[in-house]
Amino acid sequence: MAIKNENQPIEIISRRRFVKNAPDKIRFAAGLIKNKNLDQAMDALKFSNLAASKPLLLNLKQALSQAKDKDIPTENLSVKIIKVDEGPKLKRRRIIHQGRSTAILKRMAHVTIILTDDGKSKIKNQKSKIK
C-alpha cells in the first residue's frame, strides 16, 4: 500500500457483480444513498422496503470492511460515486396462448461504489508501525 499525502482524499472502491436484480430497480435504491455519509447511507438502506437495498447494503459493508483493513477512520467516509451497470440477461421462455411462447429476460446488474473522505482524515504512517 502506497503512503498518500495527508491532504489527498482517500478512495475505497467496492464492486459487486452479477446482482440478480434489475439495474433500473437498483438505480432507484441507489438514489437514496448518493452523496450521503456512510452511516446515514447504511441506515437508509436498512429501513428501506426495496428489494434492491439488500445487495447495496452488502456492498457498503464490504467497503466498510476494506476501510477497516487499511486502518482508515470510517467516521468521515461518504458515498462519492455509485454506478449501476447492466449485466448479462438470463433468457427464459413462457408458453402463452395457441402454443406460442414469449421471452422472459431476467436481468442482472454490476454495482460499483466509491467511498471518499475528501481529505478530512489523516492516515497513520505505515512505516511507524514496523518499529
Coordinates of all heavy atoms in Angstrom, one line a residue, residues 46-87:
K46 N -31.1 0.0 5.4 CA -31.7 -0.9 6.4 C -33.2 -0.8 6.6 O -33.9 -1.8 6.7 CB -31.0 -0.7 7.8 CG -29.6 -1.3 7.9 CD -29.1 -1.1 9.3 CE -27.6 -1.5 9.3 NZ -27.0 -1.1 10.6
F47 N -33.6 0.5 6.5 CA -35.1 0.7 6.8 C -35.9 0.9 5.5 O -37.0 1.3 5.5 CB -35.2 1.9 7.7 CG -34.7 1.7 9.1 CD1 -33.5 2.3 9.5 CD2 -35.3 0.8 9.9 CE1 -33.0 2.1 10.7 CE2 -34.7 0.6 11.2 CZ -33.6 1.2 11.6
S48 N -35.3 0.5 4.4 CA -36.0 0.6 3.1 C -36.7 -0.7 2.8 O -36.2 -1.8 3.1 CB -35.0 1.0 2.0 OG -35.6 0.9 0.7
N49 N -37.8 -0.6 2.1 CA -38.6 -1.8 1.8 C -38.2 -2.3 0.4 O -38.7 -3.3 0.0 CB -40.1 -1.5 1.7 CG -40.7 -1.5 3.1 OD1 -40.1 -2.1 4.0 ND2 -41.9 -0.9 3.3
L50 N -37.3 -1.6 -0.3 CA -36.9 -2.0 -1.6 C -36.1 -3.3 -1.6 O -35.2 -3.5 -0.8 CB -36.1 -0.9 -2.3 CG -36.8 0.4 -2.4 CD1 -35.8 1.5 -2.9 CD2 -38.0 0.3 -3.4
A51 N -36.4 -4.2 -2.6 CA -35.6 -5.5 -2.6 C -34.2 -5.2 -3.1 O -33.3 -6.0 -2.7 CB -36.3 -6.4 -3.6
A52 N -33.9 -4.1 -3.8 CA -32.6 -3.8 -4.2 C -31.7 -3.2 -3.1 O -30.5 -3.0 -3.4 CB -32.7 -2.8 -5.4
S53 N -32.3 -2.9 -2.0 CA -31.5 -2.3 -0.9 C -30.5 -3.4 -0.3 O -29.5 -3.0 0.3 CB -32.4 -1.7 0.1 OG -33.2 -2.7 0.7
K54 N -30.9 -4.6 -0.3 CA -30.1 -5.7 0.3 C -28.7 -5.8 -0.4 O -27.7 -5.8 0.3 CB -30.8 -7.0 0.3 CG -30.0 -8.1 1.1 CD -30.8 -9.4 1.2 CE -30.0 -10.4 1.9 NZ -30.7 -11.7 2.0
P55 N -28.6 -5.9 -1.7 CA -27.3 -6.0 -2.3 C -26.5 -4.7 -2.2 O -25.2 -4.8 -2.0 CB -27.5 -6.3 -3.8 CG -28.9 -6.2 -4.0 CD -29.6 -6.2 -2.7
L56 N -27.1 -3.6 -2.1 CA -26.4 -2.3 -1.9 C -25.8 -2.3 -0.5 O -24.7 -1.8 -0.3 CB -27.3 -1.1 -2.2 CG -27.6 -0.8 -3.6 CD1 -28.6 0.3 -3.7 CD2 -26.4 -0.5 -4.4
L57 N -26.6 -2.8 0.5 CA -26.2 -2.8 1.9 C -25.0 -3.7 2.0 O -24.0 -3.4 2.7 CB -27.3 -3.2 2.8 CG -27.0 -3.2 4.3 CD1 -26.7 -1.7 4.7 CD2 -28.2 -3.7 5.0
L58 N -25.0 -4.9 1.3 CA -23.9 -5.8 1.4 C -22.6 -5.2 0.8 O -21.5 -5.3 1.2 CB -24.2 -7.1 0.7 CG -25.3 -8.0 1.3 CD1 -25.6 -9.2 0.4 CD2 -24.8 -8.5 2.7
N59 N -22.8 -4.4 -0.3 CA -21.7 -3.7 -0.9 C -21.1 -2.6 0.0 O -19.9 -2.5 0.0 CB -22.2 -3.1 -2.3 CG -21.1 -2.9 -3.2 OD1 -19.9 -3.0 -2.9 ND2 -21.4 -2.6 -4.5
L60 N -21.9 -1.9 0.7 CA -21.4 -0.9 1.6 C -20.7 -1.5 2.8 O -19.7 -1.0 3.2 CB -22.6 0.0 2.2 CG -23.1 1.1 1.3 CD1 -24.3 1.8 1.9 CD2 -22.0 2.1 1.0
K61 N -21.2 -2.7 3.3 CA -20.5 -3.4 4.3 C -19.1 -3.9 3.9 O -18.2 -3.9 4.6 CB -21.3 -4.6 4.8 CG -22.5 -4.1 5.7 CD -23.3 -5.3 6.2 CE -24.5 -4.9 7.0 NZ -25.3 -6.1 7.4
Q62 N -19.0 -4.3 2.6 CA -17.8 -4.7 2.1 C -16.8 -3.6 2.0 O -15.6 -3.7 2.4 CB -18.0 -5.3 0.7 CG -16.7 -5.8 0.0 CD -16.9 -6.2 -1.4 OE1 -18.1 -6.2 -1.9 NE2 -15.9 -6.6 -2.1
A63 N -17.3 -2.4 1.6 CA -16.4 -1.2 1.5 C -16.0 -0.8 3.0 O -14.8 -0.4 3.2 CB -17.1 -0.1 0.9
L64 N -16.9 -0.9 3.9 CA -16.5 -0.6 5.3 C -15.4 -1.6 5.8 O -14.5 -1.1 6.5 CB -17.8 -0.7 6.2 CG -17.6 -0.4 7.6 CD1 -17.2 1.1 7.9 CD2 -18.9 -0.7 8.4
S65 N -15.5 -2.8 5.5 CA -14.5 -3.8 5.9 C -13.2 -3.5 5.2 O -12.1 -3.6 5.9 CB -15.0 -5.2 5.4 OG -14.0 -6.1 5.7
Q66 N -13.2 -3.0 4.0 CA -11.9 -2.7 3.3 C -11.3 -1.5 4.0 O -10.1 -1.4 4.2 CB -12.2 -2.3 1.9 CG -12.5 -3.5 1.0 CD -12.8 -3.0 -0.5 OE1 -12.6 -1.8 -0.8 NE2 -13.2 -3.9 -1.3
A67 N -12.1 -0.5 4.5 CA -11.6 0.7 5.2 C -11.0 0.3 6.5 O -9.9 0.8 6.9 CB -12.7 1.7 5.4
K68 N -11.6 -0.7 7.2 CA -11.0 -1.1 8.5 C -9.7 -1.9 8.3 O -8.8 -1.8 9.1 CB -12.1 -2.0 9.2 CG -13.2 -1.1 9.8 CD -14.2 -2.0 10.5 CE -15.3 -1.1 11.1 NZ -16.3 -2.0 11.7
D69 N -9.7 -2.7 7.2 CA -8.4 -3.4 6.9 C -7.2 -2.5 6.7 O -6.1 -2.8 6.9 CB -8.6 -4.4 5.8 CG -9.5 -5.5 6.1 OD1 -9.7 -5.8 7.3 OD2 -10.0 -6.2 5.2
K70 N -7.5 -1.3 6.1 CA -6.5 -0.4 5.7 C -6.2 0.7 6.8 O -5.5 1.7 6.5 CB -6.8 0.3 4.4 CG -6.8 -0.7 3.2 CD -7.1 0.0 1.9 CE -7.2 -1.0 0.8 NZ -7.5 -0.3 -0.5
D71 N -6.8 0.5 7.9 CA -6.7 1.4 9.1 C -7.1 2.9 8.7 O -6.5 3.8 9.0 CB -5.3 1.5 9.6 CG -4.9 0.1 10.3 OD1 -5.9 -0.5 10.8 OD2 -3.8 -0.2 10.3
I72 N -8.3 3.0 8.0 CA -8.8 4.3 7.6 C -10.0 4.6 8.5 O -10.8 3.8 8.7 CB -9.3 4.3 6.1 CG1 -8.1 4.0 5.2 CG2 -10.0 5.6 5.8 CD1 -8.5 3.7 3.8
P73 N -10.0 5.8 9.1 CA -11.1 6.1 10.0 C -12.4 6.2 9.2 O -12.4 6.8 8.2 CB -10.7 7.5 10.6 CG -9.5 7.9 9.9 CD -8.9 6.8 9.1
T74 N -13.4 5.6 9.7 CA -14.7 5.5 8.9 C -15.7 6.5 9.2 O -16.7 6.6 8.5 CB -15.3 4.1 9.2 OG1 -15.6 4.0 10.6 CG2 -14.4 3.0 8.8
E75 N -15.4 7.4 10.2 CA -16.5 8.4 10.5 C -16.6 9.5 9.5 O -17.6 10.2 9.4 CB -16.2 9.0 11.9 CG -14.9 9.7 12.1 CD -13.8 8.7 12.6 OE1 -14.2 7.5 12.9 OE2 -12.7 9.1 12.7
N76 N -15.6 9.7 8.7 CA -15.6 10.8 7.6 C -16.0 10.3 6.2 O -16.0 11.1 5.3 CB -14.3 11.5 7.6 CG -14.0 12.3 8.8 OD1 -14.9 12.8 9.5 ND2 -12.7 12.4 9.2
L77 N -16.1 9.0 6.1 CA -16.4 8.4 4.8 C -17.8 8.7 4.3 O -18.8 8.7 5.1 CB -16.2 6.9 4.8 CG -14.8 6.4 4.9 CD1 -14.7 4.9 5.0 CD2 -13.9 6.9 3.8
S78 N -17.9 9.0 3.0 CA -19.2 9.3 2.4 C -19.2 8.7 1.0 O -18.2 8.4 0.4 CB -19.5 10.8 2.3 OG -18.5 11.4 1.5
V79 N -20.4 8.4 0.5 CA -20.6 7.8 -0.8 C -20.4 8.9 -1.9 O -21.2 9.8 -2.0 CB -22.0 7.2 -1.0 CG1 -22.2 6.6 -2.3 CG2 -22.2 6.2 0.1
K80 N -19.3 8.8 -2.6 CA -19.0 9.8 -3.6 C -19.6 9.4 -5.0 O -20.4 10.2 -5.5 CB -17.4 9.8 -3.8 CG -17.0 10.8 -4.9 CD -15.5 10.7 -5.1 CE -15.0 11.6 -6.2 NZ -13.6 11.5 -6.4
I81 N -19.4 8.2 -5.4 CA -20.0 7.7 -6.7 C -20.6 6.4 -6.5 O -20.1 5.5 -5.8 CB -18.9 7.6 -7.8 CG1 -18.3 9.0 -8.1 CG2 -19.5 7.1 -9.1 CD1 -17.1 8.9 -9.0
I82 N -21.8 6.2 -7.1 CA -22.4 4.9 -7.1 C -22.8 4.7 -8.6 O -23.6 5.5 -9.1 CB -23.6 4.7 -6.1 CG1 -24.1 3.3 -6.2 CG2 -24.6 5.8 -6.3 CD1 -25.0 3.0 -5.0
K83 N -22.3 3.6 -9.1 CA -22.6 3.3 -10.6 C -23.2 1.9 -10.7 O -22.7 1.0 -10.2 CB -21.2 3.4 -11.3 CG -21.4 3.3 -12.8 CD -20.0 3.7 -13.5 CE -19.2 2.5 -13.6 NZ -18.0 2.7 -14.4
V84 N -24.3 1.9 -11.4 CA -25.0 0.6 -11.6 C -25.0 0.4 -13.1 O -25.7 1.1 -13.9 CB -26.5 0.7 -11.1 CG1 -27.2 -0.7 -11.3 CG2 -26.4 1.0 -9.6
D85 N -24.3 -0.7 -13.5 CA -24.3 -1.0 -14.9 C -25.1 -2.3 -15.2 O -25.4 -3.1 -14.3 CB -22.8 -1.3 -15.4 CG -22.0 -0.1 -15.3 OD1 -22.5 1.0 -15.5 OD2 -20.8 -0.2 -15.0
E86 N -25.4 -2.5 -16.4 CA -26.2 -3.6 -16.8 C -25.3 -4.9 -17.0 O -24.2 -4.8 -17.5 CB -26.9 -3.4 -18.1 CG -28.1 -4.3 -18.4 CD -29.0 -3.8 -19.5 OE1 -29.2 -2.6 -19.6 OE2 -29.4 -4.6 -20.3
G87 N -25.8 -6.0 -16.4 CA -25.0 -7.2 -16.6 C -25.7 -8.1 -17.6 O -26.5 -7.7 -18.4

